[in-house]
Amino acid sequence: MLIDTYGRVATDLRVSLTDRCNLRCTYCMPEEGLQWLAKPELLTDDEIVRMVRIAVTELGVTDVRFTGGEPLLRPGLTGIIQACAALGPRPRMSLTTNGIGLRRTASALREAGLDRVNVSLDTLRPEVFHTLTRRDRHHDVLAGLEAATAAGMAPVKVNTVLMRGLNDDEAPELLSWALDHGYELRFIEQMPLDAQHGWQRTDMVTADEILTALGSRFRLTPEGESVRGSAPAERWLVDGGPGRVGVIGSVTRPFCRACDRTRLTADGQVRNCLFAREESDLRTALRSGASDAEMAALWKAAMWGKKAGSGLDDPAFLQPERPMSAIGG
Ligand code: SAM
Ligand code: SF4
């Protein structure tokens, strides 16, 4: 098991498949992009599958989420999913994507074994999408969402970050749209993980503000702590259900005490927290002939030292060196 000194057990693995992206969301990356990882630094498809195999067969991981950067940019994605679906026990697999290219790939991903998808979409207005992502691809994301539903991935979730003065007036409209289309919407508080280090607490649209805005149009009933479990989203039934909405208050309502995550970066570093400033290099061991048991022992050691919390409320908090796009959001 991947247990830490506080007794938390990690069963949910986030795998970043690339640090590259075809959008430039202002809360994530600068307009010019970033210094991308060089190809030899990236784990190969086979190395990724081996790491997932070790996690699933030796370490008790039950859920694997592929992310990035933009994971649909990884040429071997379908093959990676297919190989992971053949593992025993088979992990549940999901993907977090900006949705560009999903129209073309959704059914092949589903056939390969992908169970669920989270598509990030922050606005229903194409011009606001352009301002937020610096690209004119709003229609591609909508088409990707439709393709995910058509391919039978359920529930299709939508991740939304609200930015003050840009899309913070859209919360009720987004929820109404999501309910109409059968998508499960989750609002995520903006976190200090942007490459530009531009995050300001005072600019952040808080979970409370989001709930107040939604409450002006909908009746929200909490689903309760038992349902939240280790899930970061607090969930509400909308107008009595069955539709629901989630709010991930990573900053103002942290869920560190129940965290069950472990993370693998595209260049083979294990991270025990999104906000950790330390990483454990497993790639060197992987490429030096380490056995599965040796790799598992290194992974366990990396998780053992996980801190109690993100440290966001500590005045001495420092952002991790890597931005969200390179850690894997
Ligand atoms: N490119 C894919 C996407 O956008 O879904 C996957 C990677 S992205 C880093 C994963 C999620 O992190 C997205 O839902 C995105 O909106 C969110 N995200 C990125 N930067 C963020 C930040 N500073 N605060 C909160 N969420 C952020
Ligand atoms: Fe790309 Fe996702 Fe970051 Fe937007 S949030 S720039 S889509 S990695």
Side-chain angles (χ1 to χ4, degrees), residues 29-48:
M29 295 194 185
E31 182 150 25
E32 63 278 15
L34 297 165
Q35 178 79 48
W36 312 121
L37 291 166
K39 185 128 192 257
E41 294 183 60
L42 296 178
L43 296 188
T44 63
D45 294 357
D46 287 347
E47 286 173 332
I48 286 171

Side-chain angles (χ1 to χ4, degrees), residues 299-316:
W299 204 326
K300 279 188 201 171
M303 294 307 292
W304 182 249
K306 179 168 170 137
K307 296 207 169 112
S310 63
L312 275 171
D313 285 330
D314 184 338

Side-chain angles (χ1 to χ4, degrees), residues 21 27-28 67-71 96-98 120 159 161 188-191 193-194 324 329:
C21 193
Y27 49 74
C28 186
T67 179
E70 177 43 50
T96 300
T97 171
N98 63 28
S120 303
N159 289 359
V161 177
I188 308 175
E189 278 180 346
Q190 192 193 351
M191 294 178 270
L193 288 170
D194 56 312
M324 176 90 131

Side-chain angles (χ1 to χ4, degrees), residues 66-328:
F66 297 103
T67 179
E70 177 43 50
L72 290 179
L73 294 181
R74 176 108 189 184
L77 175 63
T78 312
I80 291 171
I81 290 172
Q82 205 164 25
C84 293
L87 294 172
R90 179 198 188 282
R92 285 183 288 270
M93 284 184 290
S94 54
L95 180 78
T96 300
T97 171
N98 63 28
I100 294 170
L102 195 56
R103 175 169 42 178
R104 263 186 306 106
T105 51
S107 59
L109 292 171
R110 177 76 184 128
E111 270 167 42
L114 186 68
D115 299 301
R116 289 195 300 98
V117 73
N118 283 42
V119 177
S120 303
L121 179 66
D122 302 325
T123 177
L124 296 173
R125 295 177 281 181
E127 66 286 1
V128 175
F129 183 91
H130 189 263
T131 307
L132 254 166
T133 66
R134 305 182 177 109
R135 298 287 185 274
D136 196 12
R137 308 295 297 268
H138 191 249
H139 59 285
D140 291 304
V141 183
L142 297 180
L145 274 162
E146 282 168 23
T149 303
M153 289 190 255
V156 172
K157 294 189 183 173
V158 175
N159 289 359
T160 298
V161 177
L162 294 180
M163 302 281 285
R164 210 173 285 292
L166 260 178
N167 62 340
D168 56 340
D169 56 340
E170 281 192 67
E173 207 182 325
L174 276 159
L175 180 52
S176 173
W177 164 84
L179 293 170
D180 285 350
H181 288 78
Y183 306 142
E184 192 174 319
L185 183 63
R186 298 138 43 99
F187 291 96
I188 308 175
E189 278 180 346
Q190 192 193 351
M191 294 178 270
L193 288 170
D194 56 312
Q196 316 84 291
H197 292 215
W199 180 88
Q200 304 247 1
R201 188 177 284 266
T202 43
D203 282 350
M204 177 185 60
V205 180
T206 64
D208 281 351
E209 287 178 83
I210 296 164
L211 288 167
T212 303
L214 296 178
S216 69
R217 196 175 315 168
F218 304 95
R219 184 167 51 84
L220 302 182
T221 327
E223 277 207 310
E225 194 67 34
S226 57
V227 175
R228 187 181 188 190
S230 63
E234 289 181 83
R235 298 202 297 185
W236 280 264
L237 289 178
V238 183
D239 292 337
R244 49 164 80 92
V245 64
V247 179
I248 305 182
S250 316
V251 179
T252 65
R253 301 173 177 213
F255 48 94
C256 306
R257 266 191 307 173
C259 181
D260 63 354
R261 305 246 166 110
T262 181
R263 295 172 183 275
L264 178 66
T265 64
D267 56 349
Q269 312 295 302
V270 164
R271 298 179 60 95
N272 56 29
C273 173
L274 200 47
F275 295 99
R277 294 185 51 79
E278 303 83 31
E279 307 184 328
S280 304
D281 174 23
L282 268 68
R283 188 185 62 192
T284 302
L286 187 70
R287 292 184 177 171
S288 318
S291 67
D292 285 0
E294 285 164 338
M295 296 294 299
L298 287 172
W299 204 326
K300 279 188 201 171
M303 294 307 292
W304 182 249
K306 179 168 170 137
K307 296 207 169 112
S310 63
L312 275 171
D313 285 330
D314 184 338
F317 172 78
L318 283 176
Q319 262 188 243
E321 251 156 55
R322 291 208 210 217
M324 176 90 131
S325 56
I327 296 170

